[in-house]
Amino acid sequence: MTDTTQATTWLTQEAYDRLKAELEHLEGAGRAEVTERIAAARDEGDLKENGGYHAAREEQAKQEARIRELKAKLRNVQIGTPPDDGVVEQGMVVTAEVAGDEMTFLLGSREIAGTADIDVFSPTSPLGASINGHKVGDSTSYTAPNGKDIPVKILAAKPFEG
């Protein structure tokens, strides 16, 4: 399932720089390191019973998956912060009353938050999808995995400053 109409991802300059540096490392020195480990393990002989070879190949597969993930994240990126207009979208710190409890979290990805100590909800999670696009003061709900309908009231939405 490929979505060619991927929404813009808001990233702080720091988050963008961090992800870009990680991508450059993985595509350059990271690939070279794994390739060297595979070649060294291959030189040890019988590949069927060569744990080092299989571990290096598995690491290579994970690394290539991370490269694809980073490229996808950086493809439709907007650097800075979303507009401070009270509309909930990626890159916003949201305070909401969820099932009667007040909680504050970032709508976006862990990459946006970096090392900040804040809960993060994906815009594709049940809670994230239910509030995305709503405004401060709006009430909505989402269906929890157990089938229960969870009421949500948006109390505040401000751009994440990192």
Side-chain angles (χ1 to χ4, degrees):
M1 182 169 115
T2 303
D3 182 7
T4 57
T5 61
Q6 179 184 6
T8 298
T9 299
W10 287 93
L11 291 178
T12 61
Q13 184 66 53
E14 182 271 333
Y16 176 81
D17 292 344
R18 186 171 22 86
L19 294 178
K20 191 76 170 155
E22 180 184 354
L23 178 60
E24 288 170 3
H25 169 76
L26 290 175
E27 289 184 319
R31 272 187 178 145
E33 291 168 12
V34 171
T35 301
E36 287 173 17
R37 279 200 291 272
I38 291 171
R42 187 179 292 130
D43 291 343
E44 292 175 8
D46 187 7
L47 296 181
K48 281 191 246 178
E49 297 181 19
N50 188 329
Y53 173 79
H54 294 290
R57 291 294 304 223
E58 185 174 319
E59 183 180 344
Q60 181 184 42
K62 287 179 184 177
Q63 182 173 309
E64 292 301 320
R66 179 63 177 162
I67 288 170
R68 286 188 302 277
E69 177 186 9
L70 288 170
K71 283 183 174 182
K73 283 183 191 295
L74 296 173
R75 189 170 296 125
N76 294 316
V77 70
Q78 178 74 38
I79 297 172
T81 57
D84 190 0
D85 56 6
V87 175
V88 176
E89 62 182 303
Q90 282 193 67
M92 300 293 277
V93 175
V94 179
T95 301
E97 185 178 302
V98 181
D101 294 325
E102 187 174 306
M103 59 190 291
T104 299
F105 55 90
L106 172 66
L107 183 66
S109 69
R110 178 54 40 204
E111 275 86 0
I112 298 171
T115 59
D117 188 23
I118 187 168
D119 289 333
V120 179
F121 284 88
S122 165
T124 60
S125 69
L127 173 58
S130 73
I131 64 172
N132 199 7
H134 284 275
K135 296 179 180 170
V136 172
D138 286 355
S139 292
T140 185
S141 66
Y142 69 95
T143 304
N146 65 4
K148 186 177 177 186
D149 196 45
I150 309 293
V152 180
K153 180 169 181 162
I154 301 164
L155 305 175
K158 296 286 181 194
F160 178 73
E161 298 296 332

